[in-house]
Amino acid sequence: DIQMTQSPSSLSASVGDRVTITCRASQSISRSLNWYQQKPGKAPKLLIYGASSLQSGVPSRFSGSGSGTDFTLTISSLQPEDFATYYCQQSYSLPLTFGGGTKVEIK
Amino acid sequence: QVQLQQSGPGLVKPSQTLSLTCAISGDSVSGNSVAWNWIRQSPSRGLEWLGRTYYRSKWYNDYAVSVKSRITLNPDTSKNQFSLQLNSVTPEDTAVYYCARSGGTSGVDYWGQGTLVTVSS
């Protein structure tokens, strides 16, 4: 199985801050990397697919980059509604696997 | 707009079978560019993919090795839904279970509302 490792596991930030979350795959996954946002009691929501493609309806302050084993999710200017947990997920091979999550909290 | 509506019991006794159903609207369970997945989430195991069913001229199922001996996914074209059966459950199967749609490399783009299933006597 491909292991997905996210860092940090949590961070504190203020509204307006630029936030970066990283995800590393245990082997090359080309650009088959997706990012999700999850709020308490809700299902994950797809933000970015194919490493850098913005899902329809997702604000442009979210962006993704990377290929191979190293990937980044960036929020350019953190908004109040962005406080949530973020997950990466690889769709390169089965089983689909997810990172452990990064909780973004209010500073 | 695709919507997934889950149904099924929230409490299952140990050694019994967990059964959940996911009703699809806005898409077809027989769609030839998508797959229909079950994913669960627990504090101890995080987000864990369990399996998927999809149609490409015939039906295919893929299952996670961790549950392969206990899991069955069944599509129901007459009701446009698919189901999960997980046999011989233990307390470790306690989790929130989600049904979800995926399409190739485009990620898991639609999710059900989630069902908390507790395994307890």
Side-chain angles (χ1 to χ4, degrees):
Chain A
D1 298 3
I2 298 175
Q3 308 303 316
M4 307 301 295
T5 304
Q6 284 181 240
S7 61
S9 55
S10 66
L11 65 89
S12 295
S14 300
V15 172
D17 283 354
R18 181 181 182 90
V19 169
T20 298
I21 298 168
T22 63
C23 178
R24 175 164 288 176
S26 60
Q27 65 184 75
S28 178
I29 58 170
S30 185
R31 293 179 59 81
S32 300
L33 190 283
N34 310 303
W35 289 98
Y36 301 85
Q37 176 194 68
Q38 187 177 34
K39 296 182 178 179
K42 299 294 187 182
K45 172 188 173 183
L46 180 64
L47 300 176
I48 301 283
Y49 64 92
S52 61
S53 296
L54 196 66
Q55 177 70 353
S56 176
V58 174
S60 58
R61 62 181 180 273
F62 291 94
S63 64
S65 64
S67 65
T69 60
D70 294 314
F71 301 87
T72 300
L73 172 70
T74 299
I75 310 171
S76 61
S77 177
L78 198 65
Q79 298 302 299
E81 60 269 29
D82 300 338
F83 292 95
T85 301
Y86 294 83
Y87 295 93
C88 62
Q89 174 247 328
Q90 65 82 17
S91 51
Y92 184 79
S93 67
L94 296 182
L96 305 182
T97 48
F98 293 81
T102 296
K103 187 173 185 178
V104 177
E105 299 175 301
I106 303 171
K107 182 183 283 186
Chain B
Q1 178 74 351
V2 177
Q3 291 187 324
L4 304 178
Q5 181 67 39
Q6 299 177 217
S7 59
L11 180 63
V12 182
K13 289 182 167 50
S15 80
Q16 295 193 343
T17 297
L18 181 162
S19 296
L20 296 173
T21 299
C22 183
I24 303 164
S25 57
D27 200 349
S28 170
V29 70
S30 305
N32 58 14
S33 62
V34 295
W36 303 97
N37 302 262
W38 286 96
I39 296 166
R40 67 183 178 184
Q41 184 174 30
S42 65
S44 59
R45 302 167 79 103
L47 284 160
E48 180 184 16
W49 176 82
L50 299 177
R52 67 181 185 182
T53 187
Y54 59 98
Y55 185 77
R56 302 288 187 270
S57 302
K58 68 175 186 176
W59 287 101
Y60 295 87
N61 290 324
D62 296 308
Y63 299 131
V65 169
S66 61
V67 295
K68 191 168 187 176
S69 63
R70 301 191 290 131
I71 190 174
T72 304
L73 300 195
N74 279 317
D76 182 340
T77 57
S78 65
K79 296 181 179 178
N80 202 33
Q81 64 186 31
F82 64 109
S83 63
L84 163 70
Q85 286 194 309
L86 189 65
N87 302 325
S88 305
V89 297
T90 73
E92 290 212 343
D93 294 310
T94 294
V96 176
Y97 286 75
Y98 294 100
C99 62
R101 188 186 86 163
S102 63
T105 58
S106 59
V108 181
D109 56 359
Y110 290 97
W111 298 67
Q113 79 274 25
T115 301
L116 173 60
V117 178
T118 302
V119 179
S120 175
S121 54

